[in-house]
């Protein structure tokens, strides 16, 4: 019996690798998920002044650190992709491990940030702002994990 | 199959530096406490950053057009779904309707 390759790697109607197209579909679906969430956040933030006051209790430094970590992790990932395209296996693995490290740093910083906010009473059920705040971050972590 | 990027690592690092610069601007802008500046720097720059990451890091600029069309369709659907239902949520009444539920009596934080 000869081994056959899966259809996902051998057939393409669009000229794009099927696996790559599937990943883009997933990313496209995330546009709808997060787009709705963020659009709701923006509208409520604009029309309810109390949201601005609640947002003042968030940790801007932790948010800035996490954004820096995410941007740097995405740089490492694209460098890993470049190394893989040029058959530089060891370099590609090294960059992927650095990306994973960035993800762990993100989780640690997020844990410290949330611990402080929860200790001050800013929990998921305190107000709609904080429900948005925790839900959006949790969804981002869950989708990134999956 | 698909597009392969010939971008050099130096370009990726330049894009990363640009993104960090935009991050700094988006952090400084809201501290001025001017509404328009906050909107532009916090939300506007976030959209610009997302577009740059999608274009340069995710290689959308070299992918086939189907991908961009698909993503654009998702954005349009998102806009349609949201703004099609938002007025019912954001407003208490309209030309031919009014909200029958008294939101002050609804348990929980009805008014954020």
């Amino acid at each position: 019996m000869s081994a056959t390759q899966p259809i996902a790697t051998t057939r393409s109607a669009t000229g794009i690798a099927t696996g790559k197209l599937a990943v883009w579909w997933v990313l496209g679906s995330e546009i709808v998920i997060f787009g709705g969430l963020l659009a709701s956040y923006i509208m409520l933030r604009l029309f309810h002044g109390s949201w601005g006051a609640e947002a003042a209790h968030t940790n801007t430094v932790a948010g800035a650190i996490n954004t820096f970590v995410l941007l740097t992790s995405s740089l490492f990932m694209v460098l890993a992709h470049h190394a893989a395209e040029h058959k530089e296996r060891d370099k590609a693995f090294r960059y992927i491990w650095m990306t994973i490290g960035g993800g762990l740093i993100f989780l640690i910083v997020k844990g410290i940030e949330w611990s402080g906010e929860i200790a001050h009473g800013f929990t998921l059920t305190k107000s709609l702002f904080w429900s948005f705040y925790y839900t959006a971050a949790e969804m981002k972590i869950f989708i990134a994990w999956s | 199959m698909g597009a392969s990027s010939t971008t050099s690592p130096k370009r990726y690092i330049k894009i990363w530096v640009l993104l960090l610069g935009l991050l700094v601007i988006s952090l400084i802008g809201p501290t001025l406490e001017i509404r328009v500046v906050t909107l532009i720097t916090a939300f506007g720059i976030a959209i610009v950053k997302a577009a740059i990451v999608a274009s340069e890091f995710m290689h959308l600029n070299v992918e086939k057009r189907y991908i961009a069309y698909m993503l654009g369709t998702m954005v349009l659907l998102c806009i349609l779904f949201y703004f099609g239902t938002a007025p019912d949520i954001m407003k208490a009444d309209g030309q031919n309707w009014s909200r029958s539920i008294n939101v002050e009596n609804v348990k929980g934080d009805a008014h954020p």
Side-chain angles (χ1 to χ4, degrees):
Chain A
M1 186 186 296
S2 61
T4 56
Q5 289 185 313
I7 290 175
T9 59
T10 56
R11 188 177 74 183
S12 172
T14 60
I16 305 167
T18 304
K20 183 188 282 191
L21 185 61
V23 173
W24 278 115
W25 269 114
V26 170
L27 293 172
S29 69
E30 289 183 27
I31 289 175
V32 181
I33 294 171
F34 281 106
L37 196 66
L38 292 174
S40 302
Y41 171 83
I42 291 169
M43 292 291 277
L44 285 163
R45 178 80 184 255
L46 290 176
F47 287 96
H48 295 280
S50 62
W51 275 49
E54 294 275 18
H57 296 288
T58 57
N59 191 331
T60 307
V61 173
I65 291 172
N66 269 345
T67 305
F68 171 79
V69 168
L70 287 176
L71 290 175
T72 308
S73 291
S74 65
L75 170 68
F76 289 151
M77 200 60 232
V78 77
L79 290 176
H81 176 261
H82 184 271
E85 276 191 323
H86 288 81
K87 313 290 183 199
E88 295 170 323
R89 187 173 176 273
D90 290 342
K91 194 184 268 190
F93 269 103
R94 195 162 55 241
Y95 281 129
I96 288 172
W97 277 115
M98 288 161 81
T99 305
I100 292 171
L104 291 173
I105 293 172
F106 177 90
L107 289 175
I108 290 169
V109 172
K110 191 57 80 177
I112 294 170
E113 181 187 3
W114 282 4
S115 298
E117 284 161 356
I118 291 169
H120 284 92
F122 300 115
T123 60
L124 184 70
T125 54
K126 185 180 189 298
S127 71
L128 194 57
F129 169 82
W130 291 100
S131 298
F132 259 83
Y133 175 79
Y134 287 114
T135 303
E138 285 163 8
M139 282 178 65
K140 185 167 60 180
I141 291 168
F142 174 73
I143 287 173
W145 174 265
S146 59
Chain B
M1 268 188 289
S4 69
S5 169
T6 55
T7 310
S8 71
K10 278 186 184 171
R11 180 173 169 86
Y12 291 136
I13 293 171
K14 283 182 188 173
I15 298 292
W16 174 71
V17 171
L18 171 65
L19 289 169
L20 290 183
L22 290 174
L23 169 64
V24 170
I25 295 170
S26 68
L27 290 172
I28 294 173
T31 60
L32 299 175
E33 295 186 0
I34 302 170
R35 192 177 164 102
V36 172
V37 173
T38 298
L39 283 172
I40 292 170
T41 54
F43 298 119
I45 285 183
I47 293 170
V48 169
K49 278 162 52 185
I52 292 173
V53 169
S55 169
E56 300 289 339
F57 281 3
M58 297 169 76
H59 304 124
L60 195 58
N61 55 348
V62 295
E63 283 286 357
K64 287 190 183 288
R65 287 297 178 120
Y66 306 113
I67 305 295
Y69 294 154
M70 180 188 70
L71 296 179
T73 304
M74 298 291 189
V75 172
L76 285 175
L77 282 174
C78 184
I79 292 171
L80 179 68
F81 288 153
Y82 180 78
F83 286 103
T85 56
D88 292 341
I89 309 298
M90 304 300 293
K91 291 172 67 68
D93 53 47
Q95 259 186 330
N96 300 311
W97 65 275
S98 64
R99 187 184 289 155
S100 58
I101 296 173
N102 187 351
V103 293
E104 281 84 10
N105 293 334
V106 175
K107 190 176 178 184
D109 189 9
H111 286 292

